[in-house]
Amino acid sequence: MEELGRKIYDGLKDALEDITTLQVVTVSGKERVLKVEKMEDVDGKEFIARRKTVISEERVIAKTIIELDGDIILMLPVDDEGKISVEKEIMELHEKNVKIAVENWREFLKGIMSVCTQLMEFLK
């Protein structure tokens, strides 16, 4: 029983360390294919089973950092004269991603709180 409690505690501790800050970064970059795994179906026709693709980051366009205590930092690129140079459509996309990330973060926090509550009830 004690070992199970320790494992649950350790898992929650790791999760809690991950939830103190939320970062959303919008970058420009080029897509690169790292690995393509091909297979054949029953008729001998080849198809791509897995394709590992990465974006090589070239430039940060926008970065939003939200801390658990409510602090929000939005960083935008500036040119040599200090002027912000971000297209409206890209900022709208970044804003949508921030909203999705915040909602995911909220649901994750709810899940952690539910597990903690159930664990406390279990350990009584």
Side-chain angles (χ1 to χ4, degrees):
M1 176 77 150
E2 186 176 322
E3 184 180 335
L4 174 63
R6 173 62 54 194
K7 286 181 181 180
I8 293 171
Y9 171 80
D10 289 342
L12 286 173
K13 182 180 171 194
D14 291 343
L16 289 172
E17 288 175 6
D18 289 342
I19 63 172
T20 58
T21 303
L22 172 69
Q23 291 191 36
V24 179
V25 183
T26 301
V27 298
S28 65
K30 294 182 181 173
E31 183 179 286
R32 294 183 308 147
V33 175
L34 291 183
K35 181 180 179 183
V36 174
E37 191 174 316
K38 295 182 179 180
M39 299 184 80
E40 291 183 6
D41 65 13
V42 291
D43 297 325
K45 295 179 183 172
E46 194 174 80
F47 67 94
I48 295 175
R50 289 188 202 103
R51 173 186 169 128
K52 179 157 178 138
T53 306
V54 297
I55 303 292
S56 60
E57 296 177 13
E58 293 185 354
R59 182 172 76 99
V60 173
I61 296 172
K63 182 176 185 178
T64 300
I65 301 169
I66 303 172
E67 297 175 349
L68 198 56
D69 64 3
D71 292 344
I72 299 174
I73 301 165
L74 175 61
M75 299 184 320
L76 300 171
V78 294
D79 61 19
D80 293 338
E81 299 171 3
K83 295 180 184 176
I84 296 173
S85 57
V86 179
E87 295 176 24
K88 180 182 176 186
E89 293 84 10
I90 292 174
M91 284 310 299
E92 289 171 354
L93 178 62
H94 181 78
E95 182 182 347
K96 286 179 185 177
N97 285 335
V98 169
K99 286 179 182 178
I100 291 169
V102 167
E103 185 57 35
N104 290 342
W105 196 30
R106 182 179 295 122
E107 291 302 314
F108 183 68
L109 285 170
K110 283 182 187 177
I112 292 293
M113 293 305 295
S114 174
V115 168
C116 288
T117 302
Q118 291 174 13
L119 180 60
M120 294 303 289
E121 289 296 319
F122 177 74
L123 295 175
K124 281 186 179 180

